[in-house]
Amino acid sequence: MQLDDAPESSNVTDSRGMGGKLAIGGVGGILVVILGLVFGVDLGGLRPAAGPGGPPDKETLTFTQKVLGTTEDVWDSEFHKMGKRYKKPHLELFSNSVDTGCGRAPSSVGPFYCPADQKVYIDPTFFEELEQRLGGSKADFSKAYVIAHEVGHHVQRLLGYHAEPNDNDASVRLELQADYLAGVWAHHGQKKFNFIEPGDVDAAIKTANAIGDDRLQKRSGGFVHPEKFTHGTSAQRVKWFKDGLKTGDASKEKLDQFFRARSSKDL
């Protein structure tokens, strides 16, 4: 991924190395809300809690600032087409655990977006686990896809798309729509910054395929339970990322189709 010409966002906070230990109790139902916002399952059994780690590296910070900067540029333009103003989200890099508007979260939950404070939270050590334990990719464009997916949840919030608690079908629709929005970002970002290099799209697809509900359920328990899906199958996640990348269509008509289908299984 070539980001030399990408703008650096000023909306990234680096609090790595400052996270404390997760207290027992006090999280309760709050964590139920944010657990699996990326994957639909608690990754605690697959991924140990992150340790204190070394000092934050400048390379990761700069990369994150540039990726978020491209999302800001793309969504500024797309919201302008809609006659709307894009309110930029903040992104926090953390290690071990982090206090959020949605409660305190351990790094084992993976990257997530908290609608209460409109922030994306990422422990960068997650990407090693994504590749080594889940079969995804830690290539730069794969990391950018994950960031763009979480920003997609912010875009959804601004546009009024949401799901009620415990509504798995609506959750799947939103997650697939966020994958689609990540593809829309890549489509327009490529036109603006020419940042996609050979192998990049394959890396993102490898990650999308690795984090489908069916794949994760097989990995964690050996059985697939479609009634418990919250993020969609591997095939669905790949399909919608690729569709967004191909079309770049962020129109209301296109985004509404995720909720017009009779069931999320039909998407």
Side-chain angles (χ1 to χ4, degrees), residues 112-124:
F112 64 93
Y113 170 73
C114 173
D117 57 20
Q118 300 182 46
K119 289 178 68 174
V120 173
Y121 294 89
I122 298 176
D123 179 346

Side-chain angles (χ1 to χ4, degrees), residues 1 74-75 78 141-142 144-145 148 176-192 194-206 208 236-250 254-255 258:
M1 187 177 190
V74 166
W75 290 116
E78 292 305 299
F141 192 70
S142 173
Y145 154 67
L176 295 179
Q177 189 186 63
D179 282 326
Y180 175 79
L181 291 170
V184 171
W185 155 78
H187 175 97
H188 294 288
Q190 173 65 4
K191 288 186 174 181
K192 289 173 177 286
N194 195 32
F195 55 37
I196 297 177
E197 297 182 303
D200 281 350
V201 173
D202 288 340
I205 289 174
K206 182 178 182 181
Q236 287 178 310
R237 300 200 70 166
V238 170
K239 169 189 173 181
W240 287 111
F241 171 72
K242 290 173 67 175
D243 192 54
L245 175 61
K246 178 181 178 180
T247 67
D249 184 358
K254 181 71 174 185
L255 296 181
F258 288 89

Side-chain angles (χ1 to χ4, degrees), residues 159 161 177 180-181 250-258:
L159 295 179
Y161 296 100
Q177 189 186 63
Y180 175 79
L181 291 170
S251 66
K252 185 177 187 301
E253 181 181 4
K254 181 71 174 185
L255 296 181
D256 281 352
Q257 80 176 57
F258 288 89

